[in-house]
């Protein structure tokens, strides 16, 4: 059973839009932050955006003004609306969910979804 189910990746032309979704299993309790990371070929994985349980958001400078992260706590789901996509946004996008534990936190990762932006 996959704990995080991602959807919405694909191929899009530069300037286009995509919406990523990540649904967390109901077996994951006490979710704090939810977010998205990406990894392009030959590069390190980097934070794209995250959102905490209070709704506060954090974005990488490269996506500010173009991407919007949101979450539906009732559905345990986080979304990433990506507009004005650029070729440099091409990467595998990974969902990340951080849950509180009795001591500390635990991070869950999705399998990744490919986003390819063509020129």
């Amino acid at each position: 059973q996959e704990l995080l189910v991602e959807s919405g990746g694909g191929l899009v032309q530069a300037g286009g839009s995509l919406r990523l979704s990540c649904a967390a299993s109901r077996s994951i309790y006490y979710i704090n932050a939810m977010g998205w990371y990406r990894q392009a070929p030959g590069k390190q994985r980097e934070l794209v955006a995250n959102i905490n349980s209070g709704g506060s958001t954090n974005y990488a400078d490269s996506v500010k003004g173009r991407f919007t992260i949101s979450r539906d706590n009732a559905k345990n789901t986080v979304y990433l609306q990506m507009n004005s996509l650029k070729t440099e946004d091409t990467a595998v996008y990974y969902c990340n969910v951080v849950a509180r534990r009795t001591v500390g936190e635990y991070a869950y990762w999705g399998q990744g979804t490919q986003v390819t932006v063509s020129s």
Side-chain angles (χ1 to χ4, degrees):
Q1 177 191 4
E2 292 186 32
L3 295 178
L4 301 180
V5 178
E6 301 159 330
S7 60
L11 173 65
V12 65
Q13 286 191 325
S17 299
L18 283 174
R19 189 190 194 211
L20 304 183
S21 299
C22 173
S25 167
R26 292 292 185 181
S27 65
I28 300 177
Y29 297 99
Y30 308 117
I31 291 176
N32 188 3
M34 305 181 82
W36 294 91
Y37 286 70
R38 69 185 179 187
Q39 187 167 19
K43 295 188 177 181
Q44 288 190 331
R45 190 174 297 190
E46 63 175 0
L47 173 70
V48 177
N50 60 18
I51 181 169
N52 67 17
S53 57
S56 295
T57 59
N58 181 42
Y59 293 93
D61 288 342
S62 59
V63 307
K64 283 180 181 176
R66 300 188 298 121
F67 291 9
T68 302
I69 191 169
S70 60
R71 65 190 279 177
D72 184 335
N73 292 326
K75 296 181 179 179
N76 267 18
T77 300
V78 61
Y79 306 96
L80 185 68
Q81 178 66 44
M82 305 185 292
N83 298 329
S84 302
L85 282 160
K86 304 176 180 180
T87 55
E88 51 263 44
D89 294 318
T90 296
V92 177
Y93 284 69
Y94 296 90
C95 178
N96 170 260
V97 170
V98 179
R100 296 191 301 276
R101 288 289 177 265
T102 303
V103 177
E105 296 179 323
Y106 185 82
Y108 297 85
W109 290 94
Q111 301 261 17
T113 184
Q114 177 70 47
V115 171
T116 303
V117 184
S118 64
S119 59

